[in-house]
Amino acid sequence: MGGADASDAATQLLGDALAGTLLYRCLAAFVGLGIAEALREGPLDRGALGAACAVHGDSVERVLRLLATHGVVAETPDHRYALTDVGQHFL
């Protein structure tokens, strides 16, 4: 493998590594900040989650949107977040 193929492979590997690191950090925040625990009783919006976990609501939402793409939480039509079956394992 040489030239453009090697460059494409390196770019893909780096992208995968960064994505994995980002997911790991979001999962750590999800558990460490108590977001998972706050969602135990049911769906909450970003403001309620921010207040419950003493963190900025917009920041919580960024984390939750990434976790939603991995099936850890689900966003409801009214923009609240709920634990999925996968997310229940982080309680």
Side-chain angles (χ1 to χ4, degrees), residues 31-82:
V31 174
L33 295 173
I35 299 168
E37 190 62 39
L39 291 173
R40 180 188 290 270
E41 297 301 318
L44 295 171
D45 66 24
R46 70 180 181 193
L49 279 167
C53 301
V55 295
H56 187 252
D58 289 344
S59 299
V60 168
E61 188 166 41
R62 284 189 211 78
V63 168
L64 291 172
R65 284 190 174 164
L66 184 131
L67 294 177
T69 67
H70 292 278
V72 178
V73 297
E75 186 175 4
T76 66
D78 59 347
H79 305 290
R80 295 185 304 154
Y81 291 89

